[in-house]
Amino acid sequence: MFDPQLIRKDFPILSREVNGKPLVYLDSAATSQKPRQVLDAEREYYEHQNANVHRGAHTLGDESTHLLDVAREKVQLFIVAPRKEEIIFVRNTTEAINLVAYSWGSGYLAKDDVVVTTVMEHHSNMVPWQSAAERRGAKVEVVGLTESGQIDMKDYRKKLELKPKLVAFAHVSNTLGTVNPVAEMTKLAHKAGALVLVDGAQAVPHMPVNVAALGCDFYVFSGHKMLGPMGVGVLWGRKELLEAMPPFLTGGGMIDEVYPDHATWAALPDKFEAGTPNVAGAVGFTSAIDYLEKLSMKDVWEHDRELVAYALQRLSTVPEVKILGIRDSEMRSGSVAFVYSGVHAHDVATILDSEGIAVRSGHHCTMPLHSSMGVAASVRASFSVYTTKDDIDALITALEKVKKVFNT
Ligand code: PMP
């Protein structure tokens, strides 16, 4: 049975105090905490296998290479990707998007071509496309949102009439929590002749994801937001697209043959993994996926449903709080962001921190989204498998202190 109280026992950090109060960690969308199993897996790798991959004709090198391969297969099966070699390990979501924007962009984006994104994108799914467009003389078109913070499908269809080469959007918004209709948007984009990149950074930690069923062409996410270590992220891409793309970073590990004046590239996935990979991180990532699978992603998703509904309900009882995004908890995941009337988000976060409560304040790397809502900054409470309703109650209680201090 899914029991967050039992789960919490696996996370050493959750027993620490902050400012003399028990830590209430509501910043999992920025990075999740890590269970003991993940921490142990990384340490054990360094204690027993540590060696560089591929190159060593010795046992430790072989074991290390095997563990990286195990991690790749684990990720492949977790997101139901058709082929193992389509899983490219990178540092994080940001690097994965930059890889595609640079690599696919330099091969296939031409002058006056169009790339479509949306206003709700994290800067990591906006700025790399702006840079690619600038390099190639192309244009970025940005789809607007409805009043309730969903993608404006009318505007989306209109932007698709421009025949974009690629469409990039989030599976789940890191600020609004909106779950986007990925399969439907992908179908429409494909009909218009565009490739589709989905930013899954806020989806994979909370729900079962099946990239084959979603139908997209690229899917990217970060290990550190799903109980894994920092420094390991994933680019999944269709084999034929990855094979046709020029490399991103060049050097050791990604070559087939090197001559003084030119080189040829290794097959996938190595072509996109230049230099020494983060094997310890990949081993920790394997352990994080094992942990989530043991909980069952179906139950992880159910837990998220409950927390989001509860947070929306409790926050809506605070008169000073204005919740951002759609009120229907069934259409959102992972977090609730809000504005506290008359008090800056940073001040709210500082007072909450004095009560041991960790939330994020600011624009959460979504400046265009905040501007479009006429909001400078917001407070975001975000959840993971170890989050409880008690954590949300603690947030609501602490908001009373904000009221007292600021006399609102
Ligand atoms: N996209 C989304 C939707 C995110 O929430 C984040 C992290 N806040 C990123 C991209 C960037 O992730 P990373 O910092 O791991 O590259």
Side-chain angles (χ1 to χ4, degrees):
M1 206 191 78
F2 190 100
D3 181 352
Q5 293 300 347
L6 266 184
I7 291 169
R8 290 175 73 82
K9 292 194 191 341
D10 289 330
F11 291 76
I13 207 169
L14 295 180
S15 56
R16 75 160 276 186
E17 291 192 342
V18 170
N19 294 319
K21 309 273 169 51
L23 168 65
V24 174
Y25 189 75
L26 290 171
D27 196 18
S28 296
T31 198
S32 73
Q33 297 302 344
K34 330 295 175 198
R36 199 182 308 276
Q37 290 83 338
V38 169
L39 306 176
D40 287 348
E42 267 205 277
R43 198 193 60 252
E44 279 167 21
Y45 167 77
Y46 278 127
E47 283 177 356
H48 299 291
Q49 280 96 22
N50 181 48
N52 215 327
V53 295
H54 304 315
R55 296 152 199 161
H58 59 76
T59 303
L60 298 192
D62 289 347
E63 287 179 8
S64 229
T65 304
H66 172 69
L67 288 172
L68 187 62
D69 196 51
V70 167
R72 204 181 302 282
E73 186 166 358
K74 179 66 63 181
V75 171
Q76 179 209 347
L77 299 177
F78 191 62
I79 61 166
V80 201
R83 297 177 192 87
K84 190 168 64 178
E85 65 271 26
E86 295 175 332
I87 304 298
I88 311 295
F89 283 125
V90 291
R91 281 186 303 150
N92 46 41
T93 303
T94 305
E95 186 172 297
I97 296 171
N98 273 277
L99 190 162
V100 178
Y102 186 90
S103 188
W104 172 83
S106 63
Y108 297 95
L109 195 63
K111 191 167 167 347
D112 298 330
D113 279 348
V114 172
V115 171
V116 167
T117 62
T118 84
V119 180
M120 74 164 70
E121 298 315 308
H122 189 281
H123 296 161
S124 289
N125 199 24
M126 203 173 254
V127 182
W129 302 114
Q130 293 170 356
S131 301
E134 203 176 299
R135 281 193 301 273
R136 309 299 300 168
K139 252 179 81 175
V140 177
E141 291 284 342
V142 182
V143 178
L145 305 184
T146 63
E147 288 268 302
S148 60
Q150 292 170 286
I151 287 174
D152 180 346
M153 292 300 282
K154 224 169 107 187
D155 192 28
Y156 181 62
R157 286 169 194 271
K158 224 170 86 195
K159 296 288 187 315
L160 290 179
E161 284 172 15
L162 300 170
K163 297 280 168 214
K165 280 276 173 71
L166 185 141
V167 174
F169 57 86
H171 193 159
V172 173
S173 158
N174 66 307
T175 296
L176 301 172
T178 318
V179 181
N180 290 319
V182 175
E184 182 192 349
M185 289 175 73
T186 298
K187 220 180 248 172
L188 290 169
H190 282 167
K191 225 187 241 174
L195 293 175
V196 175
L197 178 140
V198 178
D199 172 357
Q202 298 297 346
V204 186
H206 300 292
M207 62 182 74
V209 168
N210 179 329
V211 294
L214 292 174
C216 55
D217 303 290
F218 301 103
Y219 195 96
V220 297
F221 56 104
S222 297
H224 71 92
K225 292 179 195 287
M226 47 185 291
L227 316 184
M230 290 182 175
V232 194
V234 173
L235 160 65
W236 168 76
R238 286 187 193 285
K239 187 178 179 190
E240 61 277 17
L241 295 171
L242 293 174
E243 278 180 339
M245 280 157 51
F248 176 40
L249 302 174
T250 56
M254 54 72 68
I255 50 84
D256 179 23
E257 288 178 342
V258 179
Y259 305 90
D261 59 349
H262 75 282
T264 57
W265 315 136
L268 296 174
D270 296 355
K271 182 173 98 174
F272 288 110
E273 292 185 0
T276 300
N278 181 359
V279 186
V283 168
F285 196 14
T286 301
S287 171
I289 296 176
D290 280 339
Y291 191 93
L292 288 170
E293 282 179 332
K294 217 162 132 196
L295 292 178
S296 140
M297 285 310 290
K298 207 169 139 268
D299 290 352
V300 169
W301 178 230
E302 281 310 310
H303 179 60
D304 182 73
R305 311 295 62 238
E306 263 183 48
L307 289 174
V308 172
Y310 190 67
L312 287 172
Q313 181 238 313
R314 291 300 316 267
L315 280 166
S316 62
T317 64
V318 182
E320 294 79 8
V321 162
K322 182 180 174 281
I323 294 167
L324 304 182
I326 193 159
R327 289 304 182 90
D328 182 351
S329 64
E330 287 305 311
M331 307 195 74
R332 44 189 301 163
S333 170
S335 65
V336 179
F338 60 89
V339 174
Y340 192 100
S341 168
V343 185
H344 194 281
H346 292 332
D347 293 329
V348 175
T350 303
I351 292 175
L352 294 179
D353 185 56
S354 73
E355 295 295 306
I357 300 174
V359 292
R360 190 132 294 240
S361 63
H363 50 63
H364 326 303
C365 296
T366 54
M367 278 176 87
L369 172 61
H370 275 76
S371 302
S372 78
M373 296 186 295
V375 171
S378 62
V379 179
R380 181 185 68 188
S382 57
F383 321 126
S384 184
V385 295
Y386 43 74
T387 310
T388 63
K389 288 183 179 172
D390 291 347
D391 292 338
I392 293 164
D393 289 342
L395 168 69
I396 303 295
T397 305
L399 285 175
E400 283 166 20
K401 187 170 172 189
V402 175
K403 189 177 169 72
K404 245 186 240 152
V405 171
F406 284 90
N407 211 7
T408 56

